[in-house]
């Protein structure tokens, strides 16, 4: 069974540009959640999609957006990049939505390391 | 806001030593999860604790959920270099968003 796949693995952008990251969940999983990980702030929840609908969004500016397709693959977009957006962006997939089941296993991808210069 | 605080932030020990990592909150969580993350990889789920007072064992790792479901601990017996990594606790907040602790970075020296 293939794991959660994130592409690209590494990305270098300059300030003001925009970026799109992709996440392919485990086959059959309909929930995809996104996280930002930085040395200073740790792992922070960005948003979750379930069956193509955004269920929750964390405390991030509107420059951060996402979507989910009918095959459950998800993309997140960051517009007008800032230096502080440099981070490891992780996605995770699960069968049920977050909070729906206490024994639900969340599986993470290896992340996309974004550097903004 | 439901926050999770982990201590210590960093821990460097010799192979064979025992250690305990703590995850504390002032809020009640319906469940808490523990993850281990290695450099360049995403976190991997180790265990989920659900019931207050629950103890779960995973080989040399023992996880405990506090009676009031506000705290959890991870105890490693006879640590090995393969245990090196970032240990994270996480729990669902009121909005069903996953909240993570700041992590404990463990280094086990041979």
């Amino acid at each position: 069974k293939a794991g959660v796949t994130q592409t690209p693995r590494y990305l270098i952008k300059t300030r003001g540009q925009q970026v799109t990251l992709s996440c392919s969940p485990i086959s059959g999983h309909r929930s995809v959640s996104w996280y930002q990980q930085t040395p200073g702030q740790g792992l922070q929840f960005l948003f979750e999609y379930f069956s193509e609908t955004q269920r929750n969004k964390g405390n991030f500016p509107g420059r951060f957006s996402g979507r989910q397709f009918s095959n459950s693959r998800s993309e997140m977009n960051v517009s007008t990049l800032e230096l502080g957006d440099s981070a490891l962006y992780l996605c995770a997939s699960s069968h049920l939505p977050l909070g729906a089941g206490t024994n639900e296993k969340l599986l993470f991808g290896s992340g996309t390391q974004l550097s903004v210069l | 806001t439901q926050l999770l605080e982990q201590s210590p932030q960093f821990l460097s020990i010799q192979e064979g030593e025992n250690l305990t990592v703590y995850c504390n909150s002032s809020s009640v969580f319906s469940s808490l999860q523990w993850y281990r993350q290695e450099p360049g990889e995403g976190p991997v789920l180790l265990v989920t604790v659900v019931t207050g007072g629950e103890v779960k064992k995973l080989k040399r790792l023992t996880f405990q959920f506090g009676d009031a479901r506000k705290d959890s601990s991870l105890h490693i017996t006879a640590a090995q270099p393969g245990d090196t990594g970032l240990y994270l606790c996480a729990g669902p907040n009121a909005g069903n968003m996953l909240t993570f602790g700041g992590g404990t970075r463990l280094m086990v020296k041979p």
Side-chain angles (χ1 to χ4, degrees), chain B residues 82-97:
Chain B
D83 296 327
T84 293
L86 178 66
Y87 288 82
L88 296 157
C89 65
N93 64 19
N96 285 325
M97 296 181 284

Side-chain angles (χ1 to χ4, degrees), chain A residues 28-42:
Chain A
H29 283 190
R30 291 192 291 162
S31 168
V32 174
S33 49
W34 288 89
Y35 305 82
Q36 182 196 65
Q37 187 173 31
T38 59
Q41 298 297 319

Side-chain angles (χ1 to χ4, degrees), chain B:
Chain B
T1 305
Q2 291 173 281
L3 297 175
L4 288 168
E5 294 189 7
Q6 288 188 243
S7 61
Q9 282 186 284
F10 302 96
L11 196 52
S12 179
I13 61 172
Q14 293 294 136
E15 182 177 2
E17 292 183 7
N18 301 331
L19 67 117
T20 302
V21 172
Y22 300 93
C23 173
N24 295 301
S25 176
S26 58
S27 305
V28 174
F29 280 84
S30 58
S31 64
L32 279 180
Q33 297 180 326
W34 283 93
Y35 293 82
R36 181 171 68 210
Q37 184 178 20
E38 298 185 22
E41 298 297 327
V44 174
L45 179 65
L46 297 173
V47 77
T48 300
V49 285
V50 179
T51 307
E54 181 178 9
V55 176
K56 282 191 173 179
K57 291 191 175 184
L58 187 66
K59 296 182 181 178
R60 293 175 295 99
L61 278 60
T62 302
F63 304 85
Q64 185 162 8
F65 202 11
D67 291 340
R69 290 185 290 134
K70 291 183 178 182
D71 56 85
S72 181
S73 64
L74 157 60
H75 182 79
I76 301 179
T77 303
Q80 298 177 1
D83 296 327
T84 293
L86 178 66
Y87 288 82
L88 296 157
C89 65
N93 64 19
N96 285 325
M97 296 181 284
L98 206 55
T99 298
F100 282 85
T104 293
R105 194 166 295 280
L106 172 65
M107 177 174 288
V108 182
K109 301 174 188 175

